[in-house]
Amino acid sequence: MSAHCQVLGTSPGFGHAISHSHRRTKRRFDPNIQHKRYWVPSLGRHVRLTVSARGIKTIDKLGIEVVVARIHARGEKV
């Protein structure tokens, strides 16, 4: 899952690219995915997350401890 946010679960959206002549072709709207490394004091190590830009803002707001706890509660490995 390359274009998938581990924090928010954001995945690609699909739609049409519409040309000037109004021809529709399929296209993919990818989220802004970044690879970030965070220090998690409770685990005593760094974790590398695949997060969207909005997911980074969520981590800044809630804290990495809360976000990692939510990821573990979903059953995902960190």
Side-chain angles (χ1 to χ4, degrees):
M1 294 188 291
S2 59
H4 178 79
C5 177
Q6 288 182 289
V7 176
L8 301 175
T10 308
S11 59
F14 296 90
H16 290 96
I18 302 178
S19 68
H20 181 69
S21 64
H22 217 67
R23 274 183 78 105
R24 292 184 172 107
T25 54
K26 293 294 280 178
R27 64 155 293 180
R28 179 174 153 150
F29 295 90
D30 284 329
N32 184 6
I33 296 295
Q34 310 291 323
H35 298 287
K36 293 284 286 185
R37 189 171 160 236
Y38 291 98
W39 172 255
V40 183
S42 64
L43 299 177
R45 65 182 177 96
H46 286 95
V47 294
R48 186 178 163 104
L49 297 176
T50 304
V51 293
S52 62
R54 188 169 171 193
I56 293 171
K57 292 177 187 177
T58 302
I59 292 171
D60 290 343
K61 182 178 178 183
L62 300 177
I64 189 66
E65 297 283 345
V66 174
V67 172
V68 168
R70 287 183 182 179
I71 293 171
H72 280 303
R74 285 197 309 257
E76 287 185 40
K77 285 183 72 176
V78 177

